[in-house]
Amino acid sequence: AEILIGQELDPTTMALAPDGRLFITEKIGRIRIIENGQMLTDPFLTLEVDNINERGLNGIAFDPHFEHNGYLYLYYTVKGEHHNRVSRFTANGNYALPGSETIILEIEQLTWTVHNGGAMVFGPDGKLYISVGDGADAQTAQSMNSLRGKILRINSDGTIPDDNPFYNETTGIYRAIYAMGLRNSFSMTVQPGTGRIYATEVGNSTWEEVNDILPGKNYGWPIIEGPINGQTPPENYKEPIFAYNHTNGCAAVGAAFYNPTIAM
């Protein structure tokens, strides 16, 4: 049965806190909480964001130790600065602690107002995985001098793990790159039990994809899209685990696992 838990929203994504509260991000910069099936009147937080076109508040993730430290992470487009940012905030009950924002990652300038990405998950390794769209500049997805069109992997404090796949062949912030060749992968989910990270990929004119995100892999954009079908892939190419043509449906924008112990 369907149960209405919130309305008159402008939602971009949502995440469950360990205590069962549902946090919903709104593109305009608000976070709403659903507790015991009811949407609370006051927002958890209202951020100033750049809300033009696809820009805005696009991602949320809870720290693995949220119940002890109250940390949650947000991905949003900074008002007036034309770039996306990941910041950490501290929860105090159903409100963000005033002044608790700590900037974790500043992503480079955007040229256009679409393809922001913004999905974030913590892997079983305790690292924060961040999907960054190509910003409608497709060639950046294949560039090691850009964070765009990538999946990034960082420590929760914003430092970069030295076992990242490109750590020794890049410098500075680009050592955060974990996987590349993505167009606008703004939904990720972690499979219970295995810890594998899967990401949806919003395609161009023909294909939508679901990708198994692995270290150092290249998911092809803009060189290749959809099933390989004789196309010449880039180095370290990883075929999507599932792809469908636009004759079968529109953009792949969300994913979640139903992963029961006994298959139904």
Side-chain angles (χ1 to χ4, degrees):
E2 295 180 358
I3 301 172
L4 179 66
I5 59 172
Q7 57 187 334
E8 298 180 6
L9 299 169
D10 185 19
T12 47
T13 191
M14 55 189 176
L16 277 168
D19 57 24
R21 289 177 297 165
L22 180 65
F23 284 56
I24 300 173
T25 62
E26 291 192 82
K27 185 174 174 292
I28 56 176
R30 281 197 305 250
I31 298 179
R32 308 302 298 270
I33 295 177
I34 308 293
E35 188 172 27
N36 299 322
Q38 300 290 322
M39 186 167 68
L40 303 185
T41 301
D42 291 343
F44 170 80
L45 173 69
T46 301
L47 270 178
E48 276 206 64
V49 302
D50 179 347
N51 189 32
I52 297 170
N53 208 337
E54 294 178 9
R55 296 179 178 181
L57 174 55
N58 289 323
I60 183 171
F62 288 96
D63 192 279
H65 307 291
F66 175 78
E67 290 168 298
H68 302 291
N69 59 28
Y71 292 163
L72 71 160
Y73 300 79
L74 300 177
Y75 181 113
Y76 67 96
T77 316
V78 184
K79 188 176 180 65
E81 296 187 19
H82 304 292
H83 71 91
N84 289 304
R85 168 184 290 165
V86 176
S87 280
R88 187 187 75 208
F89 295 80
T90 303
N92 180 23
N94 287 325
Y95 298 92
L97 194 65
S100 66
E101 179 173 10
T102 300
I103 296 170
I104 298 297
L105 177 67
E106 299 276 35
I107 300 168
E108 71 220 51
Q109 290 284 301
L110 292 162
T111 308
W112 308 104
T113 59
V114 295
H115 299 188
N116 280 289
M120 297 191 295
V121 295
F122 274 92
D125 55 5
K127 309 303 183 186
L128 180 59
Y129 293 77
I130 304 162
S131 170
V132 182
D134 71 2
D137 185 356
Q139 298 307 315
T140 60
Q142 292 294 323
S143 170
M144 296 305 291
N145 294 310
S146 173
L147 298 182
R148 288 191 267 166
K150 310 294 191 305
I151 303 291
L152 311 179
R153 177 179 181 259
I154 62 174
N155 296 313
S156 60
D157 62 359
T159 58
I160 300 171
D162 60 12
D163 61 347
N164 271 4
F166 301 107
Y167 192 89
N168 293 325
E169 57 190 86
T170 53
T171 58
I173 194 61
Y174 306 115
R175 287 175 158 173
I177 296 171
Y178 184 77
M180 60 192 298
L182 296 157
R183 183 174 182 267
N184 189 23
S185 183
F186 65 86
S187 175
M188 286 194 292
T189 187
V190 180
Q191 185 178 23
T194 69
R196 292 167 69 183
I197 297 173
Y198 291 83
T200 62
E201 167 76 319
V202 177
N204 190 16
S205 59
T206 308
W207 292 102
E208 302 295 312
E209 299 177 1
V210 178
N211 289 301
D212 183 4
I213 302 301
L214 296 171
K217 292 299 183 182
N218 189 326
Y219 294 86
W221 173 255
I223 298 167
I224 185 172
E225 206 179 10
I228 193 164
N229 288 344
Q231 300 175 84
T232 302
E235 186 180 357
N236 295 322
Y237 176 68
K238 173 70 174 167
E239 179 94 343
I241 61 165
F242 179 68
Y244 63 87
N245 191 287
H246 283 171
T247 58
N248 298 318
C250 296
V253 296
F257 273 98
Y258 174 60
N259 207 113
T261 304
I262 301 171
M264 303 296 286

